[in-house]
Amino acid sequence: MKIDQFPADIQGHIVPNVRGNYFYRCLGCGGQFGIEELLYTCPSCGAVLLIEDAEWDGLKEVAGSKWRQIFDYRRMLNSPALSGIYRYHELIGSIIPVEDIIWLGEGHTSIVAANDFLNDWAGISVCFKNDGQNPSASFKDRGMASAFSYLNFLIKRRGLRDVLAICASTGDTSASAALYASHLGGKVKSAVLLPQGKVTPQQLGQPLGSGATVIEIPGVFDDCMKVVEHLSENYAVALMNSKNAWRILGQESYSYEVAQFFDYQVGHLAVVVPIGNAGNITAVMAGFLKLLDLNIIDSLPAIIGVQSEHANPVYLYYLEPEASRRHYRPVTVRPSAAQAAMIGNPVSMPRVIMLAERYRKIAGEDSVRIIEVSEQEIMDSMLTANRNGHIACTQGGECLAGIRRAIAEKKVDPKRLAILDATAHALKFADFQNKYFTGAFEPEFEVVPKNELQNAPLRVDLPESVPNPKEGALEPPRLQEFVSYASKEVAGFLGLRSIRKAGESK
Ligand SMILES: *Cc1c(COP(=O)(O)O)cnc(C)c1O
Ligand SMILES: [Zn+2]
């Protein structure tokens, strides 16, 4: 729709203007720092940062109902830059001019309701939000669109040069960073550090395909992260991990999309996310809190974070009900099928602690829950979801396993509607499905395949006497002989009933 076709009171808002006064706020000492320089940790105390807008309250001059209209009308605008996470420009990065936005198709992923079987199985009605439908096939694209749009802005307007974007990754961060960097052409080079043998072949292929420099490091993600942190403190690099607060801003779009999809009525929802480095749950909580603050929503959904028993530092922290007695300890991870979340020392832990406290103060103690699940539950849940029409990755399976546990343990009201974050596409994690189907899980995973969830191809084997197309294309009548034999075999596998009368043949 053309701008002059929008209602008169919307026209002035439909293409957002540059506004706001963004700064980094330190979660340790409370210090504030300008955003002209790329900062990842506080220069005075070393703690993590979040981005705030000093002119945030100015947004409240527009009523919540008006914001809802603006976002809804923006759906009808044909503008690539505003087609993704920047539909919510005012909440996500309003200091970035629309012309500087990088949009590669991310955002507005589908929310798909489960069938009756899966709802019964979960004990609650569930939907998957398919963030695997983002361009690099994971939710990380939301944060990268934000971080790289800001980089692009700095390059175009502030003379930033010779940018080397670097990240440590459990697989998807690197795929996403490499994709966005490659779109910026020669302006940004990218390098990714991966834990050797701890990403799937698809995830390794992605940054290679985007032309990034890929460096494998012995150890697990936490070890790679330490190396990247050291590099970012000692060399001129742009850190693309979720320590980079621009990533968090972009990932808040997940909450905005959920709210808009449900016509801004979200109080009845339980939003379920897997926790690895804890950037995602940080962004999801921050996003809903911002919507509430602007009266765009009138109540908060419940938040459920899920961790595997094999990588559970956030779960262990919240086991202690008394806030003052909680004590954060990193854990040593064990092999996990939810490999993208296999992190023992989440960088965003201070952000989670701060936001969960704020969230609970508004919506009650039960409004943020952390649930632990077994590796067995993760795999069984992913496979069950995908046998019922979904495309969930192992972390999506973790979400389904988490909501089932939460229901079984009476930690969530079964009358809620659960939105499960399928954080990546199932295809990225096909190896784990394959391990399950072929019984090849190493014992450390503690996954024992259930027969009814396994699947394997059947095969037609031809005896010597039947013509075989393997040896070259067959011509009639030999082709007919082959077709007839193979069809009989297939019909046998499938138990097909003949529709020919007795004695009739072809
Ligand atoms: C990164 C990632 C996670 C974990 O998200 P955090 O923000 O690190 O907690 C979960 N699932 C997938 C598919 C991921 O790529
Ligand atoms: Zn500080």
Short mmCIF file of all heavy atoms in Angstrom, two decimals, residues 391-412:
data_model
loop_
_atom_site.label_atom_id
_atom_site.label_comp_id
_atom_site.label_asym_id
_atom_site.label_seq_id
_atom_site.Cartn_x
_atom_site.Cartn_y
_atom_site.Cartn_z
N ILE A 391 8.59 -28.86 12.43
CA ILE A 391 9.95 -28.87 11.89
C ILE A 391 10.92 -28.46 12.98
O ILE A 391 11.82 -27.65 12.78
CB ILE A 391 10.06 -27.92 10.67
CG1 ILE A 391 9.47 -26.53 11.00
CG2 ILE A 391 9.37 -28.52 9.46
CD1 ILE A 391 9.73 -25.48 9.93
N ALA A 392 10.68 -29.01 14.18
CA ALA A 392 11.44 -28.58 15.36
C ALA A 392 12.85 -29.16 15.35
O ALA A 392 13.07 -30.32 15.00
CB ALA A 392 10.71 -29.01 16.62
N CYS A 393 13.79 -28.34 15.79
CA CYS A 393 15.17 -28.80 16.05
C CYS A 393 15.20 -29.45 17.43
O CYS A 393 14.18 -29.50 18.14
CB CYS A 393 16.12 -27.60 16.01
SG CYS A 393 15.75 -26.36 17.27
N THR A 394 16.36 -29.90 17.85
CA THR A 394 16.45 -30.53 19.17
C THR A 394 16.10 -29.53 20.28
O THR A 394 15.49 -29.92 21.28
CB THR A 394 17.86 -31.10 19.40
OG1 THR A 394 18.84 -30.14 19.00
CG2 THR A 394 18.07 -32.37 18.60
N GLN A 395 16.44 -28.26 20.09
CA GLN A 395 16.10 -27.25 21.11
C GLN A 395 14.60 -26.99 21.13
O GLN A 395 14.03 -26.68 22.18
CB GLN A 395 16.87 -25.95 20.88
CG GLN A 395 18.38 -26.04 21.02
CD GLN A 395 19.06 -26.84 19.93
OE1 GLN A 395 19.98 -27.57 20.19
NE2 GLN A 395 18.61 -26.72 18.69
N GLY A 396 13.95 -27.10 19.98
CA GLY A 396 12.50 -27.03 19.94
C GLY A 396 11.90 -28.21 20.69
O GLY A 396 10.91 -28.09 21.42
N GLY A 397 12.53 -29.37 20.52
CA GLY A 397 12.13 -30.56 21.28
C GLY A 397 12.30 -30.33 22.77
O GLY A 397 11.45 -30.73 23.58
N GLU A 398 13.37 -29.64 23.11
CA GLU A 398 13.63 -29.31 24.51
C GLU A 398 12.47 -28.46 25.08
O GLU A 398 12.06 -28.66 26.22
CB GLU A 398 14.95 -28.54 24.59
CG GLU A 398 15.45 -28.26 25.98
CD GLU A 398 16.84 -27.59 25.96
OE1 GLU A 398 17.24 -27.01 24.94
OE2 GLU A 398 17.52 -27.66 26.99
N CYS A 399 11.96 -27.55 24.28
CA CYS A 399 10.83 -26.71 24.73
C CYS A 399 9.58 -27.56 24.97
O CYS A 399 8.88 -27.37 25.97
CB CYS A 399 10.51 -25.63 23.70
SG CYS A 399 11.74 -24.34 23.60
N LEU A 400 9.31 -28.48 24.04
CA LEU A 400 8.14 -29.35 24.22
C LEU A 400 8.33 -30.23 25.46
O LEU A 400 7.40 -30.39 26.27
CB LEU A 400 7.93 -30.20 22.96
CG LEU A 400 6.79 -31.21 22.99
CD1 LEU A 400 5.46 -30.55 23.34
CD2 LEU A 400 6.67 -31.94 21.64
N ALA A 401 9.53 -30.77 25.61
CA ALA A 401 9.81 -31.58 26.80
C ALA A 401 9.62 -30.73 28.06
O ALA A 401 9.08 -31.20 29.07
CB ALA A 401 11.24 -32.12 26.73
N GLY A 402 10.05 -29.48 27.99
CA GLY A 402 9.96 -28.58 29.14
C GLY A 402 8.52 -28.28 29.55
O GLY A 402 8.18 -28.29 30.73
N ILE A 403 7.67 -28.05 28.57
CA ILE A 403 6.28 -27.71 28.92
C ILE A 403 5.57 -28.96 29.45
O ILE A 403 4.75 -28.88 30.38
CB ILE A 403 5.51 -27.06 27.74
CG1 ILE A 403 4.21 -26.42 28.21
CG2 ILE A 403 5.19 -28.04 26.63
CD1 ILE A 403 4.38 -25.19 29.02
N ARG A 404 5.92 -30.13 28.91
CA ARG A 404 5.33 -31.38 29.43
C ARG A 404 5.71 -31.58 30.89
O ARG A 404 4.89 -31.95 31.73
CB ARG A 404 5.84 -32.59 28.64
CG ARG A 404 5.10 -32.85 27.35
CD ARG A 404 5.56 -34.16 26.76
NE ARG A 404 4.73 -35.28 27.16
CZ ARG A 404 5.16 -36.52 27.31
NH1 ARG A 404 6.44 -36.81 27.11
NH2 ARG A 404 4.33 -37.48 27.66
N ARG A 405 6.99 -31.37 31.19
CA ARG A 405 7.47 -31.48 32.57
C ARG A 405 6.74 -30.48 33.47
O ARG A 405 6.31 -30.81 34.58
CB ARG A 405 8.96 -31.16 32.63
CG ARG A 405 9.86 -32.33 32.52
CD ARG A 405 10.05 -33.03 33.88
NE ARG A 405 11.09 -34.03 33.66
CZ ARG A 405 12.26 -34.01 34.28
NH1 ARG A 405 12.53 -33.09 35.18
NH2 ARG A 405 13.16 -34.94 34.01
N ALA A 406 6.66 -29.25 32.97
CA ALA A 406 6.03 -28.19 33.77
C ALA A 406 4.58 -28.53 34.07
O ALA A 406 4.09 -28.30 35.18
CB ALA A 406 6.12 -26.85 33.03
N ILE A 407 3.89 -29.13 33.10
CA ILE A 407 2.50 -29.56 33.31
C ILE A 407 2.47 -30.71 34.31
O ILE A 407 1.70 -30.70 35.28
CB ILE A 407 1.86 -29.98 31.97
CG1 ILE A 407 1.62 -28.76 31.09
CG2 ILE A 407 0.57 -30.76 32.18
CD1 ILE A 407 0.51 -27.84 31.56
N ALA A 408 3.33 -31.71 34.11
CA ALA A 408 3.34 -32.88 34.98
C ALA A 408 3.65 -32.47 36.43
O ALA A 408 3.10 -33.04 37.37
CB ALA A 408 4.38 -33.89 34.48
N GLU A 409 4.53 -31.46 36.57
CA GLU A 409 4.90 -31.02 37.93
C GLU A 409 4.01 -29.89 38.44
O GLU A 409 4.33 -29.24 39.45
CB GLU A 409 6.39 -30.60 37.92
CG GLU A 409 7.33 -31.77 37.67
CD GLU A 409 8.79 -31.35 37.47
OE1 GLU A 409 9.10 -30.14 37.57
OE2 GLU A 409 9.62 -32.24 37.19
N LYS A 410 2.92 -29.63 37.71
CA LYS A 410 1.94 -28.60 38.08
C LYS A 410 2.58 -27.22 38.27
O LYS A 410 2.23 -26.47 39.18
CB LYS A 410 1.18 -29.02 39.35
CG LYS A 410 0.44 -30.35 39.20
CD LYS A 410 -0.61 -30.49 40.28
CE LYS A 410 -1.45 -31.75 40.21
NZ LYS A 410 -1.43 -32.57 39.02
N LYS A 411 3.53 -26.91 37.41
CA LYS A 411 4.19 -25.62 37.51
C LYS A 411 3.64 -24.60 36.51
O LYS A 411 4.12 -23.47 36.45
CB LYS A 411 5.70 -25.79 37.29
CG LYS A 411 6.37 -26.45 38.48
CD LYS A 411 7.84 -26.63 38.26
CE LYS A 411 8.47 -27.27 39.49
NZ LYS A 411 9.71 -27.98 39.14
N VAL A 412 2.69 -25.05 35.71
CA VAL A 412 2.06 -24.11 34.79
C VAL A 412 0.60 -24.52 34.63
O VAL A 412 0.27 -25.71 34.70
CB VAL A 412 2.81 -24.06 33.43
CG1 VAL A 412 2.74 -25.38 32.71
CG2 VAL A 412 2.30 -22.95 32.55
#
